[in-house]
PDB file of all heavy atoms in Angstrom:
ATOM      1  N   GLN J   3     154.678 -36.890  -7.071  1.00  0.00           N
ATOM      2  CA  GLN J   3     154.225 -36.073  -8.192  1.00  0.00           C
ATOM      3  C   GLN J   3     152.712 -36.032  -8.298  1.00  0.00           C
ATOM      4  O   GLN J   3     152.023 -36.993  -7.952  1.00  0.00           O
ATOM      5  CB  GLN J   3     154.781 -36.595  -9.518  1.00  0.00           C
ATOM      6  CG  GLN J   3     156.269 -36.382  -9.707  1.00  0.00           C
ATOM      7  CD  GLN J   3     156.716 -36.752 -11.108  1.00  0.00           C
ATOM      8  OE1 GLN J   3     156.284 -37.773 -11.645  1.00  0.00           O
ATOM      9  NE2 GLN J   3     157.572 -35.930 -11.691  1.00  0.00           N
ATOM     10  N   LEU J   4     152.218 -34.914  -8.796  1.00  0.00           N
ATOM     11  CA  LEU J   4     150.830 -34.743  -9.205  1.00  0.00           C
ATOM     12  C   LEU J   4     150.846 -34.186 -10.621  1.00  0.00           C
ATOM     13  O   LEU J   4     151.547 -33.207 -10.887  1.00  0.00           O
ATOM     14  CB  LEU J   4     150.083 -33.779  -8.285  1.00  0.00           C
ATOM     15  CG  LEU J   4     149.873 -34.219  -6.833  1.00  0.00           C
ATOM     16  CD1 LEU J   4     149.384 -33.043  -5.992  1.00  0.00           C
ATOM     17  CD2 LEU J   4     148.873 -35.361  -6.770  1.00  0.00           C
ATOM     18  N   VAL J   5     150.095 -34.792 -11.509  1.00  0.00           N
ATOM     19  CA  VAL J   5     150.081 -34.377 -12.907  1.00  0.00           C
ATOM     20  C   VAL J   5     148.643 -34.132 -13.337  1.00  0.00           C
ATOM     21  O   VAL J   5     147.831 -35.060 -13.362  1.00  0.00           O
ATOM     22  CB  VAL J   5     150.734 -35.428 -13.816  1.00  0.00           C
ATOM     23  CG1 VAL J   5     150.699 -34.956 -15.264  1.00  0.00           C
ATOM     24  CG2 VAL J   5     152.169 -35.693 -13.382  1.00  0.00           C
ATOM     25  N   GLU J   6     148.354 -32.875 -13.702  1.00  0.00           N
ATOM     26  CA  GLU J   6     147.023 -32.515 -14.177  1.00  0.00           C
ATOM     27  C   GLU J   6     146.911 -32.709 -15.682  1.00  0.00           C
ATOM     28  O   GLU J   6     147.898 -32.584 -16.416  1.00  0.00           O
ATOM     29  CB  GLU J   6     146.699 -31.049 -13.847  1.00  0.00           C
ATOM     30  CG  GLU J   6     146.755 -30.699 -12.376  1.00  0.00           C
ATOM     31  CD  GLU J   6     148.079 -30.086 -11.986  1.00  0.00           C
ATOM     32  OE1 GLU J   6     149.089 -30.341 -12.683  1.00  0.00           O
ATOM     33  OE2 GLU J   6     148.122 -29.352 -10.980  1.00  0.00           O
ATOM     34  N   SER J   7     145.701 -32.960 -16.132  1.00  0.00           N
ATOM     35  CA  SER J   7     145.410 -33.043 -17.549  1.00  0.00           C
ATOM     36  C   SER J   7     143.937 -32.737 -17.768  1.00  0.00           C
ATOM     37  O   SER J   7     143.151 -32.712 -16.829  1.00  0.00           O
ATOM     38  CB  SER J   7     145.761 -34.424 -18.109  1.00  0.00           C
ATOM     39  OG  SER J   7     144.979 -35.436 -17.507  1.00  0.00           O
ATOM     40  N   GLY J   8     143.573 -32.497 -19.016  1.00  0.00           N
ATOM     41  CA  GLY J   8     142.180 -32.287 -19.368  1.00  0.00           C
ATOM     42  C   GLY J   8     141.794 -30.863 -19.675  1.00  0.00           C
ATOM     43  O   GLY J   8     140.644 -30.604 -20.065  1.00  0.00           O
ATOM     44  N   GLY J   9     142.701 -29.924 -19.506  1.00  0.00           N
ATOM     45  CA  GLY J   9     142.392 -28.540 -19.813  1.00  0.00           C
ATOM     46  C   GLY J   9     142.302 -28.296 -21.300  1.00  0.00           C
ATOM     47  O   GLY J   9     142.656 -29.142 -22.119  1.00  0.00           O
ATOM     48  N   GLY J  10     141.810 -27.126 -21.652  1.00  0.00           N
ATOM     49  CA  GLY J  10     141.674 -26.771 -23.044  1.00  0.00           C
ATOM     50  C   GLY J  10     140.760 -25.597 -23.236  1.00  0.00           C
ATOM     51  O   GLY J  10     140.414 -24.884 -22.285  1.00  0.00           O
ATOM     52  N   LEU J  11     140.351 -25.392 -24.477  1.00  0.00           N
ATOM     53  CA  LEU J  11     139.458 -24.295 -24.844  1.00  0.00           C
ATOM     54  C   LEU J  11     138.035 -24.806 -24.935  1.00  0.00           C
ATOM     55  O   LEU J  11     137.771 -25.824 -25.584  1.00  0.00           O
ATOM     56  CB  LEU J  11     139.885 -23.692 -26.186  1.00  0.00           C
ATOM     57  CG  LEU J  11     138.996 -22.599 -26.765  1.00  0.00           C
ATOM     58  CD1 LEU J  11     139.002 -21.370 -25.867  1.00  0.00           C
ATOM     59  CD2 LEU J  11     139.463 -22.246 -28.175  1.00  0.00           C
ATOM     60  N   VAL J  12     137.118 -24.110 -24.287  1.00  0.00           N
ATOM     61  CA  VAL J  12     135.714 -24.492 -24.302  1.00  0.00           C
ATOM     62  C   VAL J  12     134.856 -23.235 -24.375  1.00  0.00           C
ATOM     63  O   VAL J  12     135.234 -22.186 -23.856  1.00  0.00           O
ATOM     64  CB  VAL J  12     135.367 -25.340 -23.058  1.00  0.00           C
ATOM     65  CG1 VAL J  12     135.542 -24.526 -21.782  1.00  0.00           C
ATOM     66  CG2 VAL J  12     133.960 -25.901 -23.151  1.00  0.00           C
ATOM     67  N   GLN J  13     133.701 -23.343 -25.012  1.00  0.00           N
ATOM     68  CA  GLN J  13     132.781 -22.218 -25.101  1.00  0.00           C
ATOM     69  C   GLN J  13     131.992 -22.053 -23.816  1.00  0.00           C
ATOM     70  O   GLN J  13     131.807 -23.016 -23.067  1.00  0.00           O
ATOM     71  CB  GLN J  13     131.818 -22.406 -26.278  1.00  0.00           C
ATOM     72  CG  GLN J  13     132.488 -22.371 -27.636  1.00  0.00           C
ATOM     73  CD  GLN J  13     131.490 -22.470 -28.776  1.00  0.00           C
ATOM     74  OE1 GLN J  13     130.353 -22.880 -28.585  1.00  0.00           O
ATOM     75  NE2 GLN J  13     131.925 -22.088 -29.962  1.00  0.00           N
ATOM     76  N   PRO J  14     131.537 -20.837 -23.521  1.00  0.00           N
ATOM     77  CA  PRO J  14     130.695 -20.650 -22.341  1.00  0.00           C
ATOM     78  C   PRO J  14     129.512 -21.612 -22.347  1.00  0.00           C
ATOM     79  O   PRO J  14     128.876 -21.837 -23.375  1.00  0.00           O
ATOM     80  CB  PRO J  14     130.233 -19.196 -22.473  1.00  0.00           C
ATOM     81  CG  PRO J  14     131.317 -18.540 -23.246  1.00  0.00           C
ATOM     82  CD  PRO J  14     131.787 -19.580 -24.234  1.00  0.00           C
ATOM     83  N   GLY J  15     129.233 -22.180 -21.173  1.00  0.00           N
ATOM     84  CA  GLY J  15     128.178 -23.169 -21.051  1.00  0.00           C
ATOM     85  C   GLY J  15     128.638 -24.590 -21.266  1.00  0.00           C
ATOM     86  O   GLY J  15     127.875 -25.528 -21.005  1.00  0.00           O
TER      87      GLY J  15
END
Side-chain angles (χ1 to χ4, degrees):
Q3 289 188 317
L4 294 168
V5 180
E6 302 96 336
S7 63
L11 176 65
V12 64
Q13 294 184 342

